[in-house]
């Protein structure tokens, strides 16, 4: 079980519990003002909080989720969406539109992963993407858990996505997602002006 720490995002305008072993990427390199990125200092996983303008080009929340997911994915990633469902965040009104999607990107057919092994090329990457739609603030919040699976970094025998066995790395990411849903709270709504 992971230890969590209350973490200020966007200068304290948002607070959330994050795994204690995750570090703020902005301490290592520049990060855009509309993003907060936290990296697992003991692995390769990360969690990104992205504030985006609500797209005018979509008619439904489902289309917005698809648009944001396509923005995250590279069209050549061999992506597969495993599920999409509504999300419930404890510190938001019940009627706030919120959705989650679990997708994976796989190595493309013909890519020689073995030849690129020294480059820490993932066999696949699991993505847990949450979209929170704030219509009155004309803002979408996109929270992405990025979970690369690099050979030697996970137990391949405990992983079978087709059978619902997500393995330790994705199980941990789901636990982090659950904690985020319970603790993600906007303290200063003026962030979204």
């Amino acid at each position: 079980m992971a230890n969590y720490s209350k973490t200020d995002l966007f200068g304290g305008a948002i607070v959330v519990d994050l795994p204690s072993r995750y570090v703020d990427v902005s301490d290592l390199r520049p990060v855009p003002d509309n993003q907060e990125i936290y990296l697992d200092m003991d692995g390769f996983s990360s969690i990104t909080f992205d504030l985006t303008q609500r797209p005018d080009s979509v008619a439904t929340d489902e289309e917005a989720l698809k648009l944001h997911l396509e923005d995250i994915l590279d069209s050549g990633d061999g992506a597969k969406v495993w599920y999409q469902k509504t999300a419930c965040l404890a510190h938001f009104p019940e009627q706030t539109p919120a959705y989650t999607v679990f997708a994976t990107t796989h190595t493309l057919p013909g890519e020689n992963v073995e030849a690129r092994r020294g480059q820490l090329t993932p066999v696949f990457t699991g993505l847990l993407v949450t979209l929170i739609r704030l219509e009155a603030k004309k803002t979408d919040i996109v929270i992405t858990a990025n979970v690369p699976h690099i050979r030697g970094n996970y137990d391949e025998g405990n992983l079978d996505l087709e059978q619902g066995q997500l393995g330790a790395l994705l199980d941990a990411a789901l636990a982090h997602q659950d904690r985020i849903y319970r603790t993600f709270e906007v303290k200063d709504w003026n962030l979204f002006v």
Side-chain angles (χ1 to χ4, degrees), residues 9 23-26 29-32 35-39 46-49:
L9 304 177
V23 295
D24 186 346
V25 170
S26 69
R29 66 169 174 84
V31 172
Q35 287 185 343
E36 294 274 358
I37 305 171
Y38 286 80
L39 179 65
S46 64
I47 300 172
T48 301
F49 299 85

Side-chain angles (χ1 to χ4, degrees), residues 10-26:
F10 304 103
I14 297 174
V15 295
V16 66
D17 287 357
L18 291 178
S20 300
R21 70 176 189 273
Y22 277 54
V23 295
D24 186 346
V25 170
S26 69

Side-chain angles (χ1 to χ4, degrees), residues 32-108:
D33 289 344
N34 67 314
Q35 287 185 343
E36 294 274 358
I37 305 171
Y38 286 80
L39 179 65
D40 184 347
M41 64 183 179
D42 296 326
F44 301 99
S45 296
S46 64
I47 300 172
T48 301
F49 299 85
D50 198 2
L51 306 180
T52 67
Q53 184 174 350
R54 247 176 99 94
D56 293 329
S57 61
V58 297
T60 67
D61 293 338
E62 289 76 16
E63 289 175 9
L65 180 60
K66 182 179 178 191
L67 181 72
H68 286 296
L69 184 61
E70 288 171 355
D71 218 18
I72 294 166
L73 298 171
D74 183 3
S75 61
D77 279 343
K80 178 175 182 176
V81 173
W82 294 87
Y83 66 73
Q84 174 183 324
K85 58 187 178 181
T86 58
C88 181
L89 290 98
H91 297 283
F92 283 78
E94 190 175 316
Q95 68 274 16
T96 302
Y99 305 90
T100 188
V101 63
F102 169 52
T104 52
T105 61
H106 294 271
T107 303
L108 295 174

Side-chain angles (χ1 to χ4, degrees), residues 119-154:
Q119 297 176 5
L120 297 176
T121 302
V123 175
F124 77 95
T125 300
L127 296 164
L128 293 167
V129 180
T130 300
L131 170 63
I132 307 165
R133 309 218 63 210
L134 305 176
E135 185 175 3
K137 297 296 184 177
K138 297 184 172 130
T139 300
D140 283 347
I141 302 172
V142 181
I143 305 169
T144 305
N146 183 31
V147 188
H149 284 68
I150 298 168
R151 252 194 199 97
N153 189 48
Y154 69 100

Side-chain angles (χ1 to χ4, degrees), residues 114-192:
E114 297 302 319
R116 294 173 32 188
R117 191 175 252 195
Q119 297 176 5
L120 297 176
T121 302
V123 175
F124 77 95
T125 300
L127 296 164
L128 293 167
V129 180
T130 300
L131 170 63
I132 307 165
R133 309 218 63 210
L134 305 176
E135 185 175 3
K137 297 296 184 177
K138 297 184 172 130
T139 300
D140 283 347
I141 302 172
V142 181
I143 305 169
T144 305
N146 183 31
V147 188
H149 284 68
I150 298 168
R151 252 194 199 97
N153 189 48
Y154 69 100
D155 183 356
E156 294 178 46
N158 288 334
L159 184 77
D160 185 344
L161 296 177
E162 297 289 342
Q163 297 299 316
Q165 292 177 280
L166 301 181
L169 295 176
L170 284 169
D171 283 343
L174 283 169
H176 302 333
Q177 183 184 58
D178 179 63
R179 185 68 172 246
I180 290 168
Y181 288 178
R182 289 186 281 128
T183 63
F184 188 86
E185 183 176 8
V186 177
K187 294 289 193 178
D188 182 0
W189 287 93
N190 291 320
L191 174 66
F192 311 107

